[in-house]
Amino acid sequence: MDSEIAVDFSPVLKIYKSGRIERLMGETTVPPSSDPQNGVVSKDVVHSPDTNLSVRIYLPEKALAADEKLPLLVYIHGGGFIIETAFSPTYHNFLTAAVSASDCIAVSVDYRRAPEHPISVPFDDSWTALKWVFTHIAGSGQEDWLNKHADFSKVVLSGDSAGANIVHHMAMRAAKEKLSPDLEDTGISGIILVHPYFWSKTPIDEKDVKDETLRMKVESFWMMASPNSKDGSDDPLLNVVKSESVDLSGLGCGKVLVMVAEKDALVRQGWGYAAKLEKSGWKGEVEVVESEGEDHVFHLVKPTCEKALEAMHKFSGFFKGGDK
C-alpha cells in the first residue's frame, strides 16, 4: 500500500515503500512580481527546456529605466539537497531583500532535488544554470535584464547550507572549465558561503560537534542525497575541510566571505574551511563572520531580527567593497 512508510524523516520528508516522496516543508511557492517589492521586481525564465528548469531573476526597479550595469549575484538555495526551491517564500523574500540592500541584479538557481535526483544532479544542474547566465556576457543572451544590466566584471556566487556547498564546487570547477569562451579568467569575483554544509565522519577539531546523534542527523541528509557514495560523509564533495585529498588552492575567485552561526552544528566547518583556504596557497582574501547566539539559517527563519539585519549588512557590503 502507498501509505506504508519506508523512511520517516519528519519534519523534513517521508519516503513511502511505493517510492513516493512526501516533502513536509519548503514546498510552498510564490510567483515573481512585476510590482516592486522592497523596490525590486522579479521574473522567471526557463533556461533548460530539456529538464524544465527555471531561474528567478531579481532587479531593482529603478534600473529598468536606466542603462546602468549592476553587480551580478548568482544564488543557490539550501535545503540539504532535498527540500526548498528557488521559488519558495523564504528565498523569494531573502533575494528581494538582498538585491535591495546590495543594489545588484540576482539570478536565483533552481535544481532537481535528491533523493529522486541524487548527487551529482544538483551540482550538474547548477553548473548548467551558471553557464546559461554567462551566455549573456556579450549582451546577446536570451534574457534582456541580464544583457542590459549585469556587470560581468563583478560576479558573486552565494548560497546557504547545501547551496553554499554547491557554490564552493562551482568556483572550483570554473577554474578548470571555462564558463564562457569570452572569459580570460573564471569570471567569478567572489563567493559568499552562508552556513556552508561541509561535514566529515569525525570531528574536525576539539570544538566540533561530538554528540553522535546530532552528527548522524547532519550526515543523514547527505546519505539520503547521495545513497551511492562509497565514502559516506567522507565523500570529497562533502568532506571538503578535513579531507587531506581536497586541495583548495585552485578556488576560482579572489575573495571569499564565510558566514557562520555560533549555535549551528556546522559552525566549525565554516571556520575550518577559511583556515584551510588560507593555508592552501590560494592567493585571495577570506573573511569569516560569526553571528553570536544564532543557529543554522536563522536569517531565513527570522529575517527582521537584529542579527539577521547585521548579517544582511555584511552580505551587501561584499558587493560594495571593490572588484576582484
Side-chain angles (χ1 to χ4, degrees), residues 30-91:
V30 293
S33 180
S34 56
D35 294 323
Q37 298 174 338
N38 211 357
V40 175
V41 290
S42 54
K43 67 162 99 167
D44 291 347
V45 180
V46 176
H47 71 86
S48 177
D50 291 349
T51 52
N52 195 33
L53 285 171
S54 301
V55 294
R56 180 161 293 179
I57 307 177
Y58 298 82
L59 182 70
E61 188 202 18
K62 61 181 171 50
L64 281 172
D67 268 343
E68 66 174 324
K69 298 275 190 178
L70 300 173
L72 171 59
L73 166 64
V74 181
Y75 195 88
I76 303 176
H77 74 82
F81 307 102
I82 288 168
I83 57 168
E84 282 290 350
T85 71
F87 317 111
S88 73
T90 298
Y91 286 102

Side-chain angles (χ1 to χ4, degrees), residues 148-324:
K148 291 178 181 175
H149 301 294
D151 183 346
F152 279 89
S153 72
K154 298 176 182 176
V155 178
V156 174
L157 306 190
S158 181
D160 62 280
S161 197
N165 178 302
I166 295 173
V167 163
H168 159 76
H169 289 290
M170 296 301 99
M172 293 297 294
R173 187 169 175 178
K176 297 172 184 172
E177 300 176 41
K178 275 195 183 294
L179 281 163
S180 165
D182 296 320
L183 285 169
E184 292 181 5
D185 56 15
T186 66
I188 300 169
S189 301
I191 61 174
I192 305 173
L193 305 182
V194 184
H195 309 171
Y197 180 31
F198 303 127
W199 202 243
S200 51
K201 287 182 179 176
T202 53
I204 61 169
D205 61 25
E206 68 284 351
K207 295 181 182 177
D208 200 3
V209 175
K210 295 182 179 64
D211 181 89
E212 279 304 316
T213 304
L214 180 53
R215 291 197 68 84
M216 289 293 289
K217 183 180 178 184
V218 175
E219 181 177 327
S220 62
F221 276 92
W222 180 257
M223 299 311 294
M224 210 178 303
S226 187
N228 300 318
S229 173
K230 65 181 192 323
D231 297 318
S233 60
D234 277 342
D235 187 305
L237 286 172
L238 186 66
N239 186 358
V240 168
V241 179
K242 192 174 186 186
S243 173
E244 293 181 6
S245 68
V246 175
D247 178 8
L248 302 185
S249 64
L251 187 71
C253 62
K255 201 170 153 194
V256 175
L257 173 62
V258 184
M259 306 186 80
V260 298
E262 182 187 14
K263 293 184 177 179
D264 185 2
L266 305 178
V267 62
R268 297 310 303 167
Q269 293 283 338
W271 280 104
Y273 177 87
K276 183 173 183 175
L277 193 55
E278 284 187 319
K279 293 174 187 170
S280 71
W282 174 71
K283 303 298 185 193
E285 299 173 18
V286 59
E287 180 183 4
V288 184
V289 175
E290 181 170 316
S291 298
E292 292 179 9
E294 299 294 349
D295 211 330
H296 193 59
V297 298
F298 75 94
H299 63 295
L300 298 178
V301 180
K302 40 183 187 175
T304 58
C305 75
E306 182 184 352
K307 294 291 184 185
L309 296 175
E310 287 175 9
M312 180 61 81
H313 183 71
K314 194 71 190 180
F315 186 98
S316 63
F318 193 82
F319 292 83
K320 300 164 185 174
D323 304 341
K324 291 184 202 178

